[in-house]
Amino acid sequence: MKKLEHIIVVLNGWALILMLTAMTLVVGANIALRYLTAHSLPWADEAARYLMIWMTFGGAGLVLRMGGHVAITNLRDALPDRGQKIMRGAIALGLLIFFGFMVYVGIQYAQRMQYQVTPALRLPFLYVYAAMPVGFALLILHLAFIAYPFITAGSYKHPDGDDSETTHLPDSANG
């Protein structure tokens, strides 16, 4: 199971790196062409926008594993240890339900958009809106991997995925 988790984290990270690289190259080429030839690529802004959408949804799960999303912990901190575990369990369950709902809604939305095409690239919007269900499915996967240590100890995975070292966020970082 740990090997599968490591593979998913590495593939997710490399996908983000490749998308960021592609976005950088497209925008950089467009800027260079605009200043060197007074012409630009008509599809560059659109491609960069859609890559940014995919990076946002695709990276949310990696941020979740490290506790990087905004959290307000005043109520949780006021509870005794057992109450904190129950609250963290309820939060994890609530997130799982929400993420599952968003996968369902995202699939429906992407299917509705499959016959419309983007203005410049002429891609079906299905490929753009597919970022939503894919991203939320990744969030479910990452949540499944971190749920137990989060619920029991309030800790998150270390950025390199090593279980021997977990990250406890200080109260000031959680709001």
Side-chain angles (χ1 to χ4, degrees):
M1 189 65 154
K2 298 295 177 194
K3 187 171 180 82
L4 175 65
E5 179 180 2
H6 178 73
I7 290 168
I8 290 170
V9 169
V10 168
L11 288 176
N12 194 178
W14 274 105
L16 293 172
I17 289 168
L18 291 174
M19 285 186 272
L20 181 61
T21 301
M23 188 172 79
T24 303
L25 291 173
V26 167
V27 171
N30 194 37
I31 291 169
L33 285 171
R34 188 177 306 140
Y35 286 106
L36 295 175
T37 67
H39 294 91
S40 63
L41 302 170
W43 50 268
D45 293 339
E46 190 174 285
R49 183 179 320 119
Y50 299 149
L51 285 166
M52 179 68 78
I53 290 167
W54 270 93
M55 285 190 306
T56 301
F57 281 106
L62 291 176
V63 174
L64 177 75
R65 345 179 19 90
M66 293 180 280
H69 291 286
V70 175
I72 300 172
T73 62
N74 295 352
L75 175 61
R76 187 197 72 200
D77 294 342
L79 295 173
D81 190 46
R82 180 160 171 76
Q84 288 183 16
K85 287 181 183 178
I86 292 169
M87 179 171 263
R88 287 191 300 263
I91 289 169
L93 180 62
L95 286 173
L96 182 64
I97 291 168
F98 175 71
F99 295 161
F101 175 73
M102 293 307 292
V103 167
Y104 173 75
V105 169
I107 289 170
Q108 286 186 328
Y109 197 66
Q111 286 175 340
R112 286 187 198 128
M113 301 304 290
Q114 68 183 336
Y115 299 112
Q116 293 185 12
V117 294
T118 62
L121 291 171
R122 308 303 296 167
L123 288 172
F125 269 109
L126 169 71
Y127 298 122
V128 177
Y129 289 107
M132 184 176 171
V134 169
F136 278 103
L138 283 170
L139 277 161
I140 289 171
L141 231 104
H142 288 294
L143 179 62
F145 289 135
I146 68 158
Y148 184 76
F150 172 70
I151 292 168
T152 58
S155 61
Y156 298 91
K157 295 286 185 174
H158 191 267
D160 64 5
D162 185 12
D163 282 344
S164 64
E165 199 175 331
T166 55
T167 304
H168 294 274
L169 292 179
D171 292 334
S172 61
N174 287 333

